[in-house]
Amino acid sequence: AQTVTQSQPEMSVQEAETVTLSCTYDTSESNYYLFWYKQPPSRQMILVIRQEAYKQQNATENRFSVNFQKAAKSFSLKISDSQLGDTAMYFCAFNNAGNMLTFGGGTRLMVKP
Amino acid sequence: DAGVTQSPTHLIKTRGQQVTLRCSPKSGHDTVSWYQQALGQGPQFIFQYYEEEERQRGNFPDRFSGHQFPNYSSELNVNALLLGDSALYLCASIFSLSNEQFFGPGTRLTVL
C-alpha cells in the first residue's frame, strides 16, 4: 500500500516571499503520478501541479514548481512570490494506474500581508 | 461547461439513519470517485465507478455503497449512520483516458 506523509502541519510566509512545502511517499510502484492540491476555505479541491514519475524534469506552473527526487521518494512544492490568495490547505497526493488518489495529511499555509 | 456538481451542500442526520449523496461529473467524463474527508485530515478514497460498475474500493465497510447511472452521474449511499461518518464527502470526476481528477465542492454531512 502507498503512503504519503506531509511533515509540516502548518506554515506561514510573508506576502511576495517564497515557501516550500514538503512531501514524502512510499511505494513499490515504478510508474505513478504525484499531485499537489490546494483546498481553500471554500472546500473546493483544486489541482495545483502534477508530476509523472517517468519524467526527470520537474513540473512548473507559473509561480508553482516541484522538486521531485524519485530515489528519495520526495516531492516538495515551491511557491514563489506568495500571494494572499495562496492561503489554503495543501495536500500532496499519489496515484498509480488505478486512479485511486492517496492523500497526505495536509499542510495549512498562511500568507501574511 | 459546468464543472463537477454535488448535492446537497450540507446535510444533518441522526445516528442510524440512511443518507444519499449525489454527484454529476464534468461533461465528457465517464468515471466518478468518492472520497471522505474528516475534519483536519486528508481525503480518503471510498470507491470508484466506471461503466456503472464499482471498479475499485478503499477500506470502507459495506454500509457505504454506490451507484452510477447511464449518464455517468453517481450516488453515494451510507446506511446505519455513525457519529464517525460526519465528514466532507468529495466527488471526483475523471475521463478514463486521463488520470486528472476534478473535484466537486463537496457535501458536508453531520451525524448527531
Side-chain angles (χ1 to χ4, degrees), chain A residues 56-72:
Chain A
Q56 292 187 335
Q57 187 173 5
N58 289 325
T60 300
E61 287 287 342
N62 301 313
R63 297 183 295 109
F64 299 88
S65 62
V66 299
N67 183 5
F68 174 48
Q69 301 288 329
K70 190 172 184 179

Side-chain angles (χ1 to χ4, degrees), chain B residues 6-74:
Chain B
Q6 291 187 243
S7 62
T9 305
H10 297 91
L11 203 52
I12 299 175
K13 293 285 188 178
T14 57
R15 281 178 296 174
Q17 285 190 313
Q18 178 264 342
V19 68
T20 297
L21 311 181
R22 295 175 177 83
C23 171
S24 290
K26 279 174 67 73
S27 177
H29 284 194
D30 54 6
T31 304
V32 172
S33 290
W34 286 92
Y35 293 83
Q36 179 196 65
Q37 187 179 17
L39 196 62
Q41 298 182 21
Q44 300 231 323
F45 176 77
I46 303 174
F47 44 53
Q48 182 179 88
Y49 276 84
Y50 171 69
E51 292 189 341
E52 303 179 49
E53 298 276 338
E54 183 183 290
R55 182 161 72 172
Q56 200 174 3
R57 188 178 182 94
N59 188 25
F60 278 79
D62 292 345
R63 298 187 298 109
F64 290 76
S65 63
H67 189 77
Q68 186 180 33
F69 299 93
N71 67 352
Y72 307 120
S73 66
S74 177

Side-chain angles (χ1 to χ4, degrees), chain A residues 45-64:
Chain A
M45 194 74 78
I46 301 163
L47 177 65
V48 174
I49 198 165
R50 59 181 275 174
Q51 174 81 42
E52 291 89 344
Y54 65 86
K55 289 187 177 179
Q56 292 187 335
Q57 187 173 5
N58 289 325
T60 300
E61 287 287 342
N62 301 313
R63 297 183 295 109
F64 299 88

